[in-house]
Amino acid sequence: MTDVTDPTATAPESSRAPAPSRTRIRPLAGLTAKNAVREVLGGVTLLAIAIPLNIGYAQIAGLPATAGLYALVVPAVLYALTVSSRQLVASPDAAAAALVASSLGGLAVAGHQDYITLALAQALISGVLFLLCSFFKLGFLANFLSKPILVGFVGGLALDILVSQVAKMLGIKINSGGEFLEKVGGLITGLPTLNIWSLLISLGALIVLLVGRRLVATMPWALLVLIVATVVVVSTGAERDGVAVLGHVEAGPPTFTWPIIAWGQWLALIPSAIALTVVAMGEGLLVSRSYGEKRGYPTRPDRDLFAFGLANIGAGVSGGFAVGSSTSRTAAMDQSGSRTQLPSLITALGTLLLLIFGTALLADIPSPAIGTIVAVAVVPLLGIPDFIRLWRLDRFEFAIGAACFLGALIIGPIAGIVIAFVLAVVNVTRRAANPPIDTLAADGDPQHSLLEAAPAGEPTVPGVVVVRLAAPLFFANSTSFEKAVERAVTDTGATHVVLDMEAVTDVDVTGAESWEAVQAFLSTRGGDLALSRVRPGIRDRLQHLELVDGVRFFDTNREAIMALQTPIAGNDHDHD
């Protein structure tokens, strides 16, 4: 039965989502009797994808395999029942795993109980931060993570992960918790210790994953690889020849707990929790919005943040670790035809059954196979096509992405987040500092109120120059505005300056100082300033900043130049 509260349930995929405020979004929105079977099958597919990946990501994070599996149970249920997006899959991903490993590595030994406790506390802090962002409606902060920043940051983390997985594929032991250059050095120097069995298993797994995906994209090839590789290891005794296996996985469902750590440790985890929250927020809200628009259903950013908060708190109290959005799994669900959150609930149920009855099946999974699966999953995250496109379209944006890439890779993920925000501010300020400032020309048609840009050095009409500022007037562009007006007056010899205010949405204190400097400049030359097409709110703002004394207001540019060119009282139309 169609959800009568959601008018977009049967909307065409090309339609735009309606305004969220007009639509009540219920749990499992979009689920109907007609698509239930397809959604259940999507859940089986997601389960087959998620189990091997989450085991691999748990290893990257320095946590036991159960941490990755637990993150598919309670967190997934809480998220699926509260999120507005019908398709976004929440789970630990490569970026989250790398952030956890890099941030906790200096606080405890990976795999130790203290390390696990810190990971739980980190997820809890991240969950609280998500809830605060939802409560204060801070979803707009995700806009500061532009595409180049996300591409660079995630790409740097992906390359760091890839080095560790290549070592696992080759059977080379390196310090997976070390710095990137240290791991690269360990991989190179460890090549003489390469294990031939591990290499053969990895090559076979790689061929199956790459070729199989081309033949039947919907087939759970990762799960097939794990099954076949495990059978090969058990039947040939490859473990005795040096092939590492997953080992004992504790059986049983997640148990609810609370991390007990010192206050100083809670405080030490805040920066990394902020980084986890920011990355998941930026990527998650972007993907959620894009799929909502693509498939024609509404999404609510603040509700999605609330769902992420509950999921991370659920992970922190049930033995998982930090939860973000999984772009690759979301894409896989979209390709399978899934349009609801039911697959996440199916995955949670399947994982729970595996934890209770089937963990013995996991013990002999070869690490090279897990490493190959994770490596294939993270290679697209390197963002090579995106970097090529950025290089072609905008070299400065490419430089931003490259700086974030190197920062996350060499300096570390936390420093990479700081670099990302600094570069975001620099990029915004750079663009805002040079807004379009045009002098306008009269076209002789009295029916036109809008004027086109004039050639440099020519007045709009003799004695009058109309200047259009296409941006708010604030600290970043105040100097550009001041110089542009002075240059227009000097080049044209105009006495009157008309400032077209249609695109000026705000004026700050620094902008007001430049405004006063322009007025003083005009006064020394015997000129004056007039305003046209002023927004009502901006006129109040100008009065508050005491900038309107002696300034005349006009409804249109044409009215202004007619009045100033031929100052007849009846044609003045002065609204001041």
Side-chain angles (χ1 to χ4, degrees):
M1 185 172 67
T2 302
D3 176 15
V4 295
T5 65
D6 186 353
T8 67
T10 58
E13 295 189 348
S14 60
S15 63
R16 294 185 60 85
S21 59
R22 299 179 183 176
T23 307
R24 181 172 65 87
I25 304 174
R26 64 173 175 80
L28 296 181
L31 182 63
T32 67
K34 292 181 179 180
N35 64 12
V37 173
R38 183 183 65 195
E39 297 299 322
V40 171
L41 293 176
V44 175
T45 301
L46 181 59
L47 177 66
I49 296 172
I51 287 177
L53 283 179
N54 273 40
I55 290 173
Y57 292 154
Q59 291 184 331
I60 292 171
L63 295 166
T66 49
L69 298 177
Y70 291 160
L72 292 173
V73 184
V74 175
V77 172
L78 292 173
Y79 177 84
L81 294 179
T82 55
V83 71
S84 74
S85 172
R86 298 183 185 182
Q87 294 173 276
L88 187 66
V89 177
S91 174
D93 63 353
L99 277 166
V100 170
S102 64
S103 59
L104 301 186
L107 301 177
V109 178
H112 193 272
Q113 184 58 47
D114 291 342
Y115 186 97
I116 298 172
T117 304
L118 289 174
L120 301 181
Q122 187 182 55
L124 283 171
I125 297 173
S126 184
V128 171
L129 290 173
F130 271 117
L131 294 181
L132 289 174
C133 288
S134 174
F135 180 79
F136 290 107
K137 301 186 184 302
L138 299 180
F140 71 91
L141 292 175
N143 296 331
F144 282 90
L145 291 181
S146 64
K147 181 65 176 293
I149 288 173
L150 275 175
V151 168
F153 182 79
V154 174
L157 294 180
L159 184 57
D160 184 72
I161 293 169
L162 190 59
V163 171
S164 300
Q165 302 313 300
V166 170
K168 193 179 296 184
M169 292 165 65
L170 300 178
I172 299 173
K173 294 182 179 180
I174 64 172
N175 178 16
S176 58
E179 300 293 335
F180 173 73
L181 296 178
E182 177 188 349
K183 288 192 283 190
V184 171
L187 178 61
I188 295 173
T189 58
L191 285 175
T193 65
L194 179 148
N195 183 276
I196 189 64
W197 273 103
S198 297
L199 176 61
L200 292 175
I201 291 173
S202 300
L203 287 176
L206 190 62
I207 292 171
V208 171
L209 291 171
L210 296 181
V211 176
R213 184 181 300 172
R214 289 182 176 274
L215 296 176
V216 185
T218 57
M219 180 78 175
W221 295 106
L223 183 61
L224 181 63
V225 162
L226 287 191
I227 294 172
V228 173
T230 302
V231 171
V232 169
V233 168
V234 172
S235 60
T236 62
E239 184 181 358
R240 294 190 301 270
D241 293 322
V243 175
V245 296
L246 184 60
H248 173 71
V249 178
E250 184 178 351
T255 56
F256 291 97
T257 184
W258 185 266
I260 305 298
I261 59 176
W263 281 108
Q265 291 177 305
W266 283 104
L267 294 175
L269 292 172
I270 291 177
S272 57
I274 292 175
L276 284 162
T277 303
V278 168
V279 173
M281 182 191 303
E283 188 173 13
L285 294 186
L286 178 65
V287 175
S288 173
R289 184 181 65 204
S290 65
Y291 276 99
E293 292 177 352
K294 179 181 179 182
R295 300 305 181 190
Y297 57 81
T299 59
R300 295 180 183 174
D302 294 316
R303 178 163 164 175
D304 290 349
L305 294 178
F306 178 78
F308 275 124
L310 289 185
N312 276 280
I313 290 175
V317 300
S318 65
F321 63 106
V323 173
S325 62
S326 176
T327 304
S328 60
R329 280 175 247 191
T330 302
M333 289 297 94
D334 182 70
Q335 291 170 4
S336 72
S338 172
R339 301 291 182 268
T340 77
Q341 286 290 335
L342 183 61
S344 292
L345 298 181
I346 299 296
T347 298
L349 177 61
T351 305
L352 182 61
L353 294 175
L354 176 66
L355 284 166
I356 296 174
F357 301 110
T359 55
L361 301 174
L362 305 176
D364 293 315
I365 295 177
S367 292
I370 297 175
T372 305
I373 292 169
V374 175
V376 170
V378 302
V379 163
L381 301 181
L382 294 175
I384 295 174
D386 293 312
F387 275 114
I388 293 173
R389 186 167 182 270
L390 286 173
W391 176 264
R392 188 176 69 253
L393 297 179
D394 192 317
R395 298 294 170 84
F396 187 82
E397 298 266 14
F398 172 84
I400 290 176
C404 290
F405 183 94
L406 294 174
L409 190 64
I410 298 175
I411 305 175
I414 307 302
I417 284 288
V418 175
I419 291 173
F421 271 103
V422 170
L423 288 176
V425 173
V426 169
N427 192 25
V428 170
T429 305
R430 179 185 72 94
R431 295 180 181 278
N434 297 286
I437 304 176
D438 304 313
T439 58
L440 305 183
D443 60 7
D445 188 340
Q447 301 301 318
H448 291 176
S449 62
L450 297 177
L451 305 178
E452 299 298 329
E458 293 187 12
T460 305
V461 295
V464 181
V465 62
V466 179
V467 178
R468 178 174 58 199
L469 171 64
L473 178 57
F474 70 119
F475 67 91
N477 60 29
S478 59
T479 301
S480 298
F481 163 74
E482 184 179 341
K483 290 181 177 179
V485 174
E486 292 178 359
R487 184 167 55 250
V489 172
T490 302
D491 293 346
T492 63
T495 304
H496 305 288
V497 173
V498 179
L499 184 59
D500 184 338
M501 297 284 289
E502 172 66 18
V504 180
T505 56
D506 194 15
V507 179
D508 72 356
V509 173
T510 308
E513 292 180 354
S514 291
W515 185 293
E516 292 171 340
V518 166
Q519 288 179 308
F521 168 78
L522 292 173
S523 178
T524 61
R525 298 176 64 94
D528 59 18
L529 179 67
L531 305 180
S532 68
R533 305 204 297 160
V534 182
R535 296 170 179 267
I538 296 303
R539 179 162 181 165
D540 295 339
R541 176 64 173 167
L542 295 176
Q543 289 175 336
H544 179 73
L545 294 171
E546 301 178 348
L547 299 176
V548 298
D549 291 343
V551 176
R552 289 189 284 180
F553 290 79
F554 299 92
D555 289 336
T556 67
N557 294 329
R558 188 169 301 282
E559 180 184 14
I561 61 176
M562 289 180 65
L564 296 173
Q565 185 181 29
T566 310
I568 301 174
N571 296 333
D572 197 318
H573 297 287
D574 187 355
H575 299 287
D576 189 11

